[in-house]
Amino acid sequence: MSGPYAGRQDEAGNVNPQIFDEQAEESKGEMARLTSFVGAIAISELVKTTLGPKGMDKILKSADPNEQKITVTNDGATILKSVYVDNAAAKILIDISKTQDDEVGDGTTTVAVLGGELLREAEQLVIAKIHPQIIIQGWRLAKEAARKTLLDIAMDHSQDEAVFRKDLESIAGTTLSSKLLVQEKEHFVNLAVDAVLRLKGSDDLKLIQIIKKAGGNLKDSFLADGFILEKKIASKSPKVKITPRILVANTPMDYDKIKIFGSKVKVDSIDKVAEIEAAEREKMKRKVDKILAHKPSIFINRQLIYDYPESLMAEQGVMVIEHADFDGVERLSSVLGADILSTFDTPESAKLGTCELVDEIMIGEDKVIRFQGCHEGRASTIVLRGASTHILDEAERSLHDALCVLIQTIKNSKVVYGGGNTEVRMAEATDELARQIPGKKSLAIEAYGRALRKLPMIVADNGGFDSAEIISQLRAEIHNGNTTAGIDIGRGCVGNMEDLGIKECLRVKEQALLAASEAAEMILRVDEIVKAAPRRREGY
Ligand SMILES: *[C@@H]1O[C@H](CO)[C@@H](O)[C@H](O)[C@H]1NC(C)=O
């Protein structure tokens, strides 16, 4: 049978009409759900081993044989961004995990793993003939109970500056300890906390610039006041300026040579060339004069500046910096409080920037330009040093996560204990709830608690410890009212999270809980996957 009336026989032998185009595919009910479970659980398995302070790294290598670049990382977001999947559920889980990364900057792995564990539990419930809608209802109740617990146990020390700084250090430490920088942790904790406190409550991550300079080792990384531009000052210019007027521009300054594209200029003598050249120079000079009318002491251009205008400006004692990249110019203008100018007709209304000192410094072998004491005092630069680009890249990713989490904490200021403390306490609450709810829903609520407890279990497993033993001890401690107990991953036993300084940002935890639940629910709700046929062009 073929053509539009072709159909499939179901179990009873009835032929169902095929309503989809031949190139479309559909899979239904159990089959669709199974495919979804498999896909989502596979994603969770993929990142599971990177969870926690003792998580393992992964090497990411492009499938394209021409691309040589490899990445060594244990950052969940980076891993998930680089896998290509052809499973709809896996894609949903990846997308929601990525949203976590965009929203709060960390906790991506937690979302993927918790989402996967929830679906693993759901698989068992579905096999036990519990309808997905019942599971979802149970999960929703469980999620609310867990969330309430989370909010109840959160601590807020923002009133006491010293204690709050300790909180921030603990949080930065917890984030960084799961990344590459274990040995250099303390150094980086201080870098990150100092940089974020300098923001004075702003959540503009752009004000913290990260520069990577290969060479030296990670401990040589430092926080510099102000802004660093990886460019050289033009050779004829003065090299130091104190409280300068800084003009930031984006304008062509490179036509002191004849450069007329796409048009033929017919000249009959060498004199003519000289004539045109002279005219061009004259035009350039007028432009320079216009710029100089702004009385800048530093002129920074995004584009190239040729010799002639450069010397004209240098003669007037102006420091010239050319070819600053786009990112550099954008940041400079906001940090220095300058507009980016491209026309120079109204010197009176143009906004020039300023700072206390501009000079050249050496980082490793390279000269860079430093802008100190900027108009925007919250700006700072973290200069990362390290033996290789792999180390620098991973250090940057870790630092970025830590900065994001710190910014979230400053905004929200509530913290919770790490080391599995919150997960076990949330699971306690859902267990309690399950006892009160009659019917099959309670099975789903119990399952939710089990999935929550899996997180600290995986963390302990990744540390090479007997996770079942540790988690049952931890459950006992918490059940007996010990609110500071958690996994001491250094010693492989239950420890005191307050003494060990292991804290996490409430906002990140909460967001991860909600995102993972949402992803799992969305995937569980699927009972049909339709692969749409590719759209054909008209006329076929
Ligand atoms: C809680 O447990 C930890 C680790 O076992 C222990 O160090 C701490 O003293 C306990 N706290 C209380 C109040 O029992």
Side-chain angles (χ1 to χ4, degrees):
M1 202 166 8
S2 68
Y5 301 108
R8 298 179 312 180
Q9 274 190 341
D10 68 9
E11 284 151 28
N14 302 317
V15 174
N16 296 325
Q18 165 112 30
I19 54 168
F20 291 110
D21 185 291
E22 274 161 58
Q23 283 186 40
E25 284 173 37
E26 58 166 335
S27 55
K28 279 190 159 194
E30 291 295 278
M31 199 52 214
R33 200 162 282 129
L34 199 66
T35 321
S36 296
F37 287 155
V38 169
I41 291 171
I43 291 301
S44 139
E45 285 290 316
L46 175 71
V47 289
K48 191 166 140 177
T49 54
T50 66
L51 195 68
K54 295 256 176 109
M56 306 296 278
D57 289 351
K58 295 199 185 290
I59 292 183
L60 305 175
K61 191 173 171 301
S62 170
D64 177 359
N66 295 323
E67 203 179 314
Q68 296 294 329
K69 189 174 155 44
I70 61 162
T71 308
V72 185
T73 185
N74 76 1
D75 181 44
T78 310
I79 297 169
L80 291 178
K81 259 178 219 152
S82 27
V83 293
Y84 291 95
V85 293
D86 185 32
N87 177 294
K91 273 195 188 131
I92 294 176
L93 192 55
I94 291 179
D95 281 349
I96 295 188
S97 304
K98 278 193 206 154
T99 323
Q100 169 84 8
D101 192 48
D102 298 340
E103 292 243 323
V104 289
D106 196 21
T108 326
T109 313
T110 310
V111 175
V113 173
L114 182 56
E117 289 302 331
L118 281 169
L119 288 168
R120 206 192 291 274
E121 292 290 340
E123 197 177 9
Q124 297 305 316
L125 295 173
V126 169
I127 290 172
K129 297 278 175 243
I130 298 178
H131 194 274
Q133 291 297 357
I134 303 286
I135 302 177
I136 288 171
Q137 284 169 20
W139 277 0
R140 287 201 174 160
L141 294 173
K143 180 187 77 186
E144 278 317 312
R147 185 183 189 186
K148 184 172 177 305
T149 308
L150 195 59
L151 298 178
D152 285 348
I153 64 179
M155 301 163 276
D156 187 347
H157 297 138
S158 55
Q159 300 310 317
D160 185 333
E161 209 170 301
V163 181
F164 190 52
R165 190 185 160 103
K166 271 245 141 15
D167 276 357
L168 291 177
E169 285 172 3
S170 300
I171 284 168
T174 311
T175 309
L176 288 172
S177 66
S178 65
K179 318 275 155 138
L180 179 98
L181 314 158
V182 181
Q183 291 85 28
E184 295 80 10
K185 200 174 97 178
E186 210 163 305
H187 187 63
F188 275 80
V189 162
N190 284 319
L191 279 184
V193 172
D194 285 341
V196 169
L197 284 178
R198 227 175 234 260
L199 293 178
K200 302 202 173 66
S202 156
D203 60 355
D204 189 359
L205 204 52
K206 277 215 212 75
L207 293 174
I208 303 175
Q209 183 197 16
I210 300 181
I211 287 187
K212 296 176 282 184
K213 282 272 172 218
N217 69 48
L218 284 172
K219 278 223 181 78
D220 302 329
S221 305
F222 61 94
L223 180 72
D225 165 41
F227 186 85
I228 287 179
L229 188 66
E230 290 177 273
K231 290 288 158 197
K232 290 199 184 60
I233 298 173
S235 54
K236 295 174 197 127
S237 308
K239 298 289 188 288
V240 181
K241 286 281 179 187
I242 297 165
T243 56
R245 281 169 58 79
I246 306 173
L247 195 159
V248 182
N250 181 7
T251 186
M253 297 292 282
D254 54 355
Y255 45 97
D256 61 339
K257 297 215 177 85
I258 299 177
K259 200 178 83 182
I260 307 167
F261 290 117
S263 61
K264 254 190 213 154
V265 186
K266 234 178 168 182
V267 286
D268 36 26
S269 74
I270 198 83
D271 290 351
K272 271 273 165 42
V273 179
E275 220 171 85
I276 295 173
E277 216 170 73
E280 285 292 323
R281 277 170 80 91
E282 188 49 39
K283 227 160 102 191
M284 191 75 241
K285 179 151 181 2
R286 281 203 299 274
K287 181 163 183 183
V288 170
D289 286 342
K290 267 184 172 178
I291 292 171
L292 288 176
H294 293 69
K295 307 210 179 345
S297 34
I298 301 183
F299 177 70
I300 303 173
N301 194 15
R302 173 156 135 64
Q303 306 179 33
L304 284 176
I305 303 175
Y306 272 10
D307 255 4
Y308 178 60
E310 185 192 312
S311 7
L312 286 177
M313 290 189 187
E315 273 165 29
Q316 302 298 318
V318 176
M319 177 194 286
V320 180
I321 300 165
E322 65 162 359
H323 213 193
D325 49 58
F326 181 69
D327 195 37
V329 166
E330 285 275 295
R331 274 177 204 265
L332 265 177
S333 80
S334 71
V335 165
L336 300 173
D339 286 341
I340 301 175
L341 303 180
S342 49
T343 57
F344 306 96
D345 297 322
T346 51
E348 325 75 49
S349 61
K351 207 166 141 228
L352 274 63
T354 189
C355 66
E356 277 161 22
L357 176 71
V358 179
D359 60 357
E360 246 176 352
I361 57 166
M362 297 287 290
I363 301 179
E365 266 97 74
D366 300 328
K367 271 190 190 159
V368 298
I369 309 169
R370 175 172 66 176
F371 297 78
Q372 258 185 317
C374 296
H375 159 88
E376 172 56 271
R378 298 177 293 183
S380 61
T381 302
I382 296 174
V383 180
L384 290 178
R385 305 301 316 276
S388 75
T389 50
H390 289 302
I391 294 182
L392 286 174
D393 288 347
E394 181 71 350
E396 184 187 19
R397 281 192 288 272
S398 314
L399 200 56
H400 177 263
D401 284 359
L403 292 172
C404 289
V405 174
L406 287 175
I407 284 179
Q408 289 298 334
T409 316
I410 286 192
K411 270 208 291 204
N412 182 279
S413 82
K414 293 211 171 104
V415 300
V416 291
Y417 289 123
N421 175 288
T422 49
E423 284 81 5
V424 173
R425 285 167 88 175
M426 287 191 282
E428 277 269 300
T430 54
D431 284 357
E432 182 57 39
L433 179 70
R435 281 193 281 276
Q436 295 160 12
I437 302 271
K440 284 185 175 174
K441 255 186 271 179
S442 71
L443 295 175
I445 299 175
E446 272 174 10
Y448 195 94
R450 272 197 300 279
L452 278 172
R453 269 194 297 268
K454 273 288 181 54
L455 289 171
M457 234 164 180
I458 293 167
V459 170
D461 274 336
N462 288 346
F465 301 116
D466 181 350
S467 59
E469 173 69 24
I470 297 180
I471 301 306
S472 56
Q473 278 180 17
L474 179 56
R475 281 181 77 175
E477 283 282 353
I478 284 178
H479 191 74
N480 292 330
N482 185 341
T483 52
T484 58
I487 306 172
D488 178 350
I489 201 71
R491 295 190 303 144
C493 59
V494 175
N496 188 329
M497 296 298 104
E498 181 64 45
D499 295 349
L500 292 168
I502 299 177
K503 288 179 189 151
E504 293 177 63
C505 170
L506 169 72
R507 175 97 180 79
V508 175
K509 277 263 163 202
E510 187 188 5
Q511 187 61 34
L513 182 79
L514 300 182
S517 308
E518 184 190 315
E521 191 180 306
M522 198 184 245
I523 292 168
L524 181 59
R525 213 185 273 280
V526 170
D527 77 338
E528 182 158 348
I529 299 172
V530 180
K531 268 196 194 147
R535 207 185 300 172
R536 282 182 238 174
R537 263 185 272 159
E538 293 285 319
Y540 271 78

